[in-house]
Amino acid sequence: MESRTRNTKRNIIASYVLMLLQIVFSFVSKSVIIYTLGSEYLGLSSLFNSILMVLNVAELGFTTSIVYFMYKPLAENDTEKVCALLAYLKRIYKFVGLIILFFGLLAGVLMPKLINGSVPDDINIYILYFLYLINTVISYFLFAHKTALLTAIQRLDLTKIAGCIVIVIQYSLQLISLLIFKNYYLFVVSMIIGTALTNLFAAYISKIKFPQYRCVGKITKQDKKDIITKVKGLLICNISIVTYSTLDSIVISSFVGLTMVAIYSNYMTIYKAVNQFIVMIRSAMQSSVGNSVAKESIEKNLHDVFLWQFLFSLIATWCASCMICLYQPFMKFWMGKKLLLPMLDVSLIVIWFLIDIVQQAHYLYLTGAGLWNDLKYSYIFNTCCNLFLNVFLGKRFGVTGIISASLVTCIISGTFWQCIIIFRKYFKRSAKKYIMTQFKYFMLSAIVIIITYFSTCLVTFEGIVGIILKLLICCIVSAILIFLLYCKNQFFQESLVLTKRIIRKK
């Protein structure tokens, strides 16, 4: 196995390149959709993606579970067992693809009931939904197991590089569909082509770089039993994660309408772009942490989780400061005054973002230690609470209530319940110190965010000039405040050393 630091660095760099391409093309395509076709088309896209994410729960968590079981045989160079696990995952994927296709077709019957208001005249929602369904299903039949292999080997950078090529091809075809043909069906077909190419590239890379890992052999009955045990917890985990991230658009569509779904989707595009920027660090670190859990002591990993908590808090604070200052000016410049949310909603989104990002530190050890089954009751609560609050608050307060529902659920389930279980089950100690440290970081973050926001309020310029000036001010002010507040923290110097090591590592 190659250096964990080197693999993490490679994965982070490749992930960021792909992410930047996705962000740029996503903003461009959303803008073109709204200005050439209308906001209702964007609302349909968000609604269908949300529904199909729910159907993806049929995967049950087999990918994550099998990748987890690959860590040890890969570390021990047990090629035979890795091949057997890969063959098992391939069979599972084919079955899952058929399940999603079947239930996806059944769900299509409910489409009209999930849309409040009118639908564009030139769109047949059943045909459009079927195309989105094909885009979801096709991945399971085209070498998706090869991507799982590259994840376990800590070489996601290879798939990311291929992804960059696919992104350029896919979005180029989509822009041609909108600008020249003004045909939304062709836009979705281009998306299907992109999905197929992504999986084909992953299969090719895997065959060239790691030919020793093939889909041959069978795993033991005990291995199947262990995988199923993990999957039971992951099933509940996946249901929770999927409903948590998709219910918002579905509830807004049902109670408010497609236009508001589009407005909310625009704000969440920025949220997810910044969130993804940070979560990709966690994703790039995940295989290394899994390897560390398998080989290092609990004390070493306990020290590391506090270090990761500090790093994620620093990053989240700086990003949240920029978001609160730039959200409205950018949205006004991008989409216009008519497609803005109230500042209260924006503030709630930023708080939600801040809390969610800090939780990424202990989530590393949720996956690394395979604790999904231990967290099943917290995920059941997460799903039920989020669903109830979405409907209850959504009916009364609209988008504000729906965002509040996600925020409350995030705090109760992620900050407290899940954190306590992770510490109790893996670190074998109380999570009190960790949670109190997290609360302290949150209060310090609030100070930085508030001061930075009022500093940028002094800028009176509108448009791109105002955005650039506010960006410069919030970047500088928040960075200075972060340094002043955190420079004496015991993990500050460690963070600097770690960052230098990652940068210098070849």
Side-chain angles (χ1 to χ4, degrees), residues 125-138:
I125 59 171
Y126 296 107
I127 295 176
L128 187 63
Y129 171 76
F130 180 72
L131 290 175
Y132 271 91
L133 178 60
I134 292 298
N135 183 61
T136 301
V137 169
I138 193 173

Side-chain angles (χ1 to χ4, degrees), residues 15-68:
S15 296
Y16 280 158
V17 173
L18 177 59
M19 183 198 68
L20 288 173
L21 282 174
Q22 289 174 326
I23 291 173
V24 171
F25 280 115
S26 177
F27 276 112
V28 171
S29 65
K30 283 177 179 289
S31 302
V32 173
I33 288 174
I34 287 179
Y35 289 115
T36 59
L37 300 177
S39 59
E40 288 182 335
Y41 289 84
L42 191 57
L44 281 172
S45 175
S46 299
L47 175 62
F48 290 160
N49 283 324
S50 297
I51 293 169
L52 292 171
M53 282 183 67
V54 174
L55 290 175
N56 261 323
V57 78
E59 191 265 344
L60 301 179
F62 274 101
T63 303
T64 307
S65 181
I66 292 176
V67 166
Y68 167 78

Side-chain angles (χ1 to χ4, degrees), residues 120-339:
D121 294 333
D122 61 338
I123 287 294
N124 183 309
I125 59 171
Y126 296 107
I127 295 176
L128 187 63
Y129 171 76
F130 180 72
L131 290 175
Y132 271 91
L133 178 60
I134 292 298
N135 183 61
T136 301
V137 169
I138 193 173
S139 180
Y140 290 100
F141 295 100
L142 285 178
F143 309 108
H145 58 286
K146 295 293 186 179
T147 302
L149 171 66
L150 294 172
T151 301
I153 297 174
Q154 304 177 47
R155 290 309 308 272
L156 269 176
D157 59 302
L158 296 174
T159 60
K160 301 296 183 183
I161 293 170
C164 292
I165 300 171
V166 173
I167 283 292
V168 174
I169 296 172
Q170 175 185 322
Y171 278 100
S172 296
L173 291 175
Q174 288 182 320
L175 291 177
I176 291 172
S177 302
L178 294 173
L179 293 172
I180 297 178
F181 297 102
K182 290 182 170 53
N183 190 307
Y184 195 67
Y185 292 118
L186 290 178
F187 177 89
V188 181
V189 169
S190 301
M191 186 167 59
I192 297 173
I193 293 172
T195 301
L197 287 176
T198 299
N199 286 299
L200 290 172
F201 273 131
Y204 177 76
I205 292 169
S206 177
K207 182 179 179 180
I208 297 298
K209 290 287 186 179
F210 306 102
Q212 69 272 33
Y213 298 122
R214 297 173 292 113
C215 295
V216 293
K218 294 184 177 181
I219 60 176
T220 65
K221 290 184 178 179
Q222 184 60 44
D223 285 334
K224 287 184 181 180
K225 183 178 179 180
D226 292 341
I227 290 172
I228 295 300
T229 299
K230 295 292 183 187
V231 165
K232 287 179 181 177
L234 270 170
L235 170 60
I236 299 172
C237 168
N238 284 356
I239 292 173
S240 173
I241 291 172
V242 166
T243 55
Y244 182 72
S245 61
T246 60
L247 278 177
D248 293 359
S249 293
I250 297 174
V251 173
I252 292 172
S253 175
S254 300
F255 294 153
V256 186
L258 289 175
T259 299
M260 185 53 71
V261 174
I263 295 173
Y264 179 75
S265 171
N266 291 336
Y267 277 83
M268 293 311 294
T269 296
I270 297 175
Y271 176 100
K272 290 175 182 178
V274 183
N275 183 280
Q276 187 181 13
F277 178 84
I278 302 170
V279 170
M280 276 188 176
I281 298 176
R282 192 200 77 182
S283 298
M285 294 167 61
Q286 188 60 71
S287 296
S288 297
V289 170
N291 184 270
S292 178
V293 168
K295 300 177 71 173
E296 306 288 353
S297 68
I298 290 179
E299 293 300 322
K300 166 67 167 59
N301 286 304
L302 179 65
H303 174 272
D304 286 348
V305 75
F306 276 95
L307 175 60
W308 308 144
Q309 181 192 42
F310 176 77
L311 279 170
F312 279 115
S313 295
L314 253 64
I315 296 170
T317 302
W318 187 80
C319 291
S321 299
C322 294
M323 287 171 69
I324 197 70
C325 297
L326 300 173
Y327 234 135
Q328 292 296 68
F330 179 78
M331 292 302 301
K332 184 179 178 180
F333 174 76
W334 180 31
M335 290 294 173
K337 292 182 180 180
K338 294 182 179 180
L339 298 179

